[in-house]
Amino acid sequence: RPDVQRPDVRRPDVQRPEVRRPEVRRLPRDVPLIINADLTDVSPDLCGSTIALGTDSRENHGIYRDVDDLLCILLEDPFNDLQYIDDRKGTIYLEVKDALQRHCPEQVSFCIAFCPCRRVWAVGFGFAWQCRERAAKVALAARLIVQAAAEEGEPDLSAFPEIEELTRNVDSETWLDEPAEDDPSF
């Protein structure tokens, strides 16, 4: 009732203990991670190492803004050359979930971007599916750039300075799981 005065339950003279919440470790966002997962059941040609990238930002800025234009340069037909699988609960690709958890125990939803014609894949993780898919696109573009640099030389990324900076943080010499030259599947 509006005419009844309620007592103030907050008493300034009483000392309350400070409540400390445990610090939650999270996977870094907007930073490329290298993960290893065996996806040969999806395609025997896919290499085991790739790039994972996470974001929780719904804004289309920085490295995420121009990724579709970059994929059009890197691939002949990005609409048909790419496949996306959103594994919101981490139940479809347990190997990828385990690989992400080797970096940090945080439970994350992720999206895998596959490019079968170039035999590469990448992972995007984040809260909303739009964030995961956008991060997967950027991670795949970075993976394609690293692959192109190893096979054909550095591509010109002057129109994409944010992605160029991101790929500088990935050292292809230390992680790429390239097949042996005598591998008959290539």
Side-chain angles (χ1 to χ4, degrees):
R1 296 185 345 201
D3 58 332
V4 176
Q5 289 283 337
R6 296 189 187 263
D8 187 5
V9 293
R10 296 174 291 155
R11 295 183 46 198
D13 58 326
V14 176
Q15 288 277 348
R16 290 190 175 80
E18 183 179 328
V19 177
R20 292 188 157 230
R21 296 196 170 129
E23 187 176 316
V24 178
R25 284 188 48 216
R26 296 186 66 205
L27 285 164
R29 299 316 195 248
D30 305 315
V31 175
L33 302 173
I34 306 305
I35 63 169
N36 295 297
D38 180 16
L39 295 181
T40 53
D41 58 328
V42 176
S43 171
D45 294 341
L46 292 176
C47 70
S49 299
T50 197
I51 299 172
L53 185 69
T55 187
D56 287 326
S57 175
R58 291 179 188 252
E59 296 177 23
N60 200 13
H61 63 86
I63 59 175
Y64 305 100
R65 179 181 50 241
D66 300 321
V67 68
D68 290 321
D69 295 337
L70 178 59
L71 287 171
C72 287
I73 293 170
L74 295 171
L75 299 167
E76 288 183 28
D77 185 8
F79 183 75
N80 290 316
D81 290 345
L82 301 178
Q83 302 167 7
Y84 302 96
I85 298 177
D86 191 54
D87 192 355
R88 185 174 61 89
K89 295 183 180 181
T91 56
I92 302 171
Y93 293 102
L94 297 175
E95 302 88 355
V96 174
K97 177 182 173 181
D98 293 342
L100 288 169
Q101 287 184 333
R102 280 186 223 120
H103 284 276
C104 179
E106 176 188 12
Q107 298 285 329
V108 293
S109 299
F110 56 88
C111 174
I112 302 177
F114 294 101
C115 183
C117 67
R118 298 283 297 270
R119 298 181 306 274
V120 296
W121 60 286
V123 177
F125 58 90
F127 179 70
W129 72 266
Q130 298 97 329
C131 297
R132 293 190 293 272
E133 186 174 294
R134 193 175 318 123
K137 283 182 179 183
V138 172
L140 187 70
R143 181 64 180 89
L144 288 167
I145 290 166
V146 169
Q147 182 185 51
E151 294 174 359
E152 307 155 10
E154 290 284 330
D156 179 21
L157 299 175
S158 56
F160 310 97
E162 293 93 353
I163 294 178
E164 184 175 30
E165 178 65 28
L166 178 97
T167 56
R168 258 191 234 126
N169 294 325
V170 178
D171 182 6
S172 64
E173 299 298 318
T174 60
W175 63 274
L176 286 181
D177 183 19
E178 297 298 336
E181 289 182 6
D182 59 345
D183 187 341
S185 65
F186 284 87

